[in-house]
Amino acid sequence: MRALRRSLPLAAVAAAALTASAGAQQTAKPVLHGSHWMAITGKPLAATAGAMTFQRGGNAVDAACTMLAATSTMWDVLSWGGETQALIYNPRTGQVIGLNALGVAPTGATPELYRARGMPYPPEYGPLAAVTPGTPGGLMVMLAEYGTMSLADVLAPAIQMADGYPIEAQTANSIHANRERLREWPYSRGVMLPHTGEEREAPRAGEIFRQPDLARTLRQLVEAEAQALARGASRKDAIMAAYDRFYRGDIARELVRGVQEQGGLITLEDLASWRVRIEEPVWTDYRGVRVYKLTAWTQGPAMLQALNILENFDLKSMGYNSARYLHTLYQAMNLAFADRDFYYGDPYVAPEEPIRGLLSKEYARERSRLIGGERNDPTIAPGDPYPFQGGTNPFTQYLRDWNRRGQTGTGVSAPPRASRELDEAFYLGTTSIQAADAEGWVVSVTPSGGWVPAVIAGRTGIGLSQRMQSFVLDPAEGPYNVLRPGQHPRVTLTPTMALRDGKPYLSFAVQGGDSQDQNLLQFFLNVHEFGMNVQQAAEAPNMNSFQMRSSFGGHESRPGRMLLAESMPDWVRAELRRMGYELTFEERTSGPINAIFFDREHGTFWGGSSHHGEDYGIAW
């Protein structure tokens, strides 16, 4: 103890130095400034499509839909058969609206089906990994309800790209790296490997990449809209006529035929009965700011839980990215994510998630008392939020058994995988979209699913989602997220919006699987606690925990494992190792965060786009 006391003044000096340096951080990219509109997403070409929409008079919803269509066409870690999750600020009502366009498990997708095939979880890839497509419906409903333009206008850049665009190196090389798996599926092979028999069958960077089947599908949607308009339909009804063609018409029939031909389960009834849901998001207040997330079918509430826990600590006095600060964040995230792993699931089916108790400030205070000052706790387990909403927990036996079941839960082992492979699975998929306009519309989207390597469904050109793997088959691993037909899996996809005094303050999102809310939490604290501007916060080095159970693959948990940036000082590394952490390092750890800060003093936007990936913004 004497040695610890002697070290405290030095630690305090180091913490103060770290805090002071946080606000003076130099960035690789400049802040993006605008006063009329802002468009940010995962690829420069897709951001350009959003800018084109703004220049044609569209609002932020129109631009977000255009960027969504473009990124889906570019296979920017998603495709048209994936899922779309959005938060929308409506300046006319002052409300934040949630949009749930996540697919559901198809007919016949049961735990018994997968167990009979020797699978402890649904597979990571292939036709049996697919939930129903959500992105087409999400785009069309978002556009119809809150946009101003026609579907033809919004899809025009994507159709041009499907006819042929110069593919970027990241996607071309991902196709090349996954060529063996893509060869297994005939329609994927036909699109993704255009140079059959050559040394490199995948496209090369800069090559014109053509998707004629997808171009035809998108034109069919525009055709359905045009026919409805010719019959006298309203803009909204004409867009929904295109929706019906996708989910109930000839596109649906070809998609189902192509899926079932390759061994998948999706039926016409699955497509016809699925629907987009417009929801009320959940929120918490953190030190003068109201932070919004989609509810417990995503992992988003875990960030709100973590904020509630962290509100009980003086984070600023610990020092930015000091050992004490990182340890406190790690423990708070593990407490929140343990609850995610146990309690989160589809709110539209029983059992009902105890979201009111989970987001209770009193529950957070109780959980915060579990954070010790000296060592990582590898046994952190879910809590019991039911008393904080006046209820009784129906799953106490599963709670008691949680840690006894081991790091992969079921005890049914997936094939062992190398640490690098586990890390890659932890960060799977997704892009993000941010859009804002002078009228006050703000859109934050985290679309995903159908990343390379994806099964393409027949001649539709639609790459199918791989989101089935986020279900569990055993209720002891998460009784609210057990696979059944018609149910949404609990996903990692998590757009975020924050309001101050009832007006937009921050809009932000990131790709990266289970790391998403970890990185978004730190981004928010970087701005709100440590005074960074939006670009500094987007590029700042983050810490990631691997202690929560992965939402992908074998659902592994690795207690005590912590990712840090290579720039982390030696004294911080040494202190964290003394606390029991297993450290791993990468050059950049921010995650590809995209964000908009709303400068109320000057009436302008500040855009941030991390240098972690190929994300890009354009503003005016």
Side-chain angles (χ1 to χ4, degrees), residues 144-487:
E145 294 290 338
Y146 308 109
T148 66
M149 299 180 105
S150 68
L151 185 63
D153 288 334
V154 163
L155 293 187
I159 291 170
Q160 290 180 44
M161 296 175 78
D163 284 337
Y165 75 97
I167 192 169
E168 76 287 359
Q170 187 180 65
T171 301
N173 291 337
S174 176
I175 293 170
H176 178 66
N178 289 282
R179 61 195 180 279
E180 293 299 331
R181 197 178 293 275
L182 289 166
R183 288 192 191 110
E184 298 175 17
W185 310 311
Y187 302 102
S188 301
R189 183 173 64 242
V191 172
M192 296 286 186
L193 303 175
H195 306 301
T196 302
E198 297 181 19
E199 183 178 354
R200 180 181 169 114
E201 296 183 314
R204 292 173 174 82
E207 177 181 331
I208 299 299
F209 181 55
R210 294 182 171 85
Q211 302 172 78
D213 289 342
L214 177 61
R216 182 173 57 253
T217 294
L218 299 180
R219 286 190 170 96
Q220 287 173 328
L221 296 177
V222 170
E223 180 183 64
E225 178 190 48
Q227 290 171 348
L229 289 170
R231 294 193 298 269
S234 66
R235 185 191 74 91
K236 178 178 176 178
D237 288 345
I239 294 170
M240 296 312 293
Y243 180 106
D244 284 342
R245 185 169 187 178
F246 187 93
Y247 287 96
R248 300 180 179 91
D250 55 343
I251 299 172
R253 290 191 291 275
E254 174 57 18
L255 189 145
V256 167
R257 185 203 66 77
V259 169
Q260 294 186 355
E261 175 193 335
Q262 297 175 89
L265 302 173
I266 296 171
T267 68
L268 287 169
E269 176 57 30
D270 292 330
L271 295 180
S273 61
W274 178 84
R275 65 186 180 93
V276 178
R277 297 180 183 270
I278 295 173
E279 307 177 327
E280 183 176 344
V282 293
W283 52 267
T284 196
D285 290 326
Y286 180 85
R287 296 177 180 167
V289 174
R290 181 157 291 182
V291 184
Y292 288 84
K293 287 284 193 177
L294 295 166
T295 193
W297 57 275
T298 77
Q299 70 176 353
M303 177 178 158
L304 305 184
Q305 286 191 248
L307 285 171
N308 285 343
I309 292 167
L310 291 168
E311 202 169 30
N312 295 284
F313 298 88
D314 185 355
L315 299 179
K316 203 167 186 178
S317 71
M318 296 178 186
Y320 168 72
N321 274 3
S322 68
R324 182 69 53 188
Y325 175 74
L326 294 172
H327 169 72
T328 303
L329 257 62
Y330 191 98
Q331 300 304 304
M333 291 193 302
N334 290 343
L335 289 163
F337 277 85
D339 283 345
R340 178 206 73 169
D341 293 342
F342 191 85
Y343 289 108
Y344 290 18
D346 187 348
Y348 299 101
V349 299
E352 181 181 357
E353 293 76 13
I355 193 68
R356 189 159 52 87
L358 289 166
L359 295 179
S360 155
K361 296 285 189 179
E362 292 76 16
Y363 178 61
R365 277 193 288 275
E366 180 182 272
R367 295 288 274 168
S368 73
R369 297 187 188 107
L370 298 175
I371 297 179
E374 303 305 324
R375 301 284 296 178
N376 176 51
D377 181 359
T379 65
I380 283 175
D384 187 355
Y386 278 90
F388 298 89
Q389 61 178 42
T392 302
N393 197 320
F395 298 115
T396 53
Q397 182 60 49
Y398 294 149
L399 273 180
R400 285 193 294 269
D401 291 346
W402 183 257
N403 279 324
R404 287 205 296 267
R405 296 183 65 81
Q407 293 181 5
T408 57
T410 61
V412 180
S413 296
R417 301 197 285 178
S419 181
R420 170 63 64 178
E421 187 180 353
L422 292 174
D423 288 352
E424 289 173 356
F426 195 82
Y427 292 105
L428 276 177
T430 315
T431 193
S432 66
I433 296 167
Q434 300 296 317
D437 63 36
E439 186 184 349
W441 289 95
V442 186
V443 186
S444 180
V445 193
T446 314
S448 190
W451 52 76
V452 177
V455 174
I456 290 178
R459 294 297 179 188
T460 64
I462 302 290
L464 299 175
S465 172
Q466 301 99 337
R467 197 58 62 173
M468 286 284 290
Q469 63 186 296
S470 292
F471 281 113
V472 298
L473 306 185
D474 183 347
E477 288 192 75
Y480 302 82
N481 188 38
V482 180
L483 170 64
R484 77 179 90 172
Q487 181 164 326

Side-chain angles (χ1 to χ4, degrees), residues 83-151:
E83 45 273 354
T84 288
Q85 298 65 220
L87 291 173
I88 303 166
Y89 177 77
N90 183 340
R92 297 168 186 169
T93 63
Q95 292 180 314
V96 178
I97 303 148
L99 183 130
N100 173 348
L102 171 64
V104 297
T107 299
T110 64
E112 292 73 25
L113 172 81
Y114 292 100
R115 287 197 192 106
R117 295 169 183 249
M119 299 177 182
Y121 302 95
E124 295 175 74
Y125 300 104
L128 290 176
V131 296
T132 54
T135 287
L139 185 154
M140 287 185 272
V141 168
M142 186 160 45
L143 179 66
E145 294 290 338
Y146 308 109
T148 66
M149 299 180 105
S150 68
L151 185 63

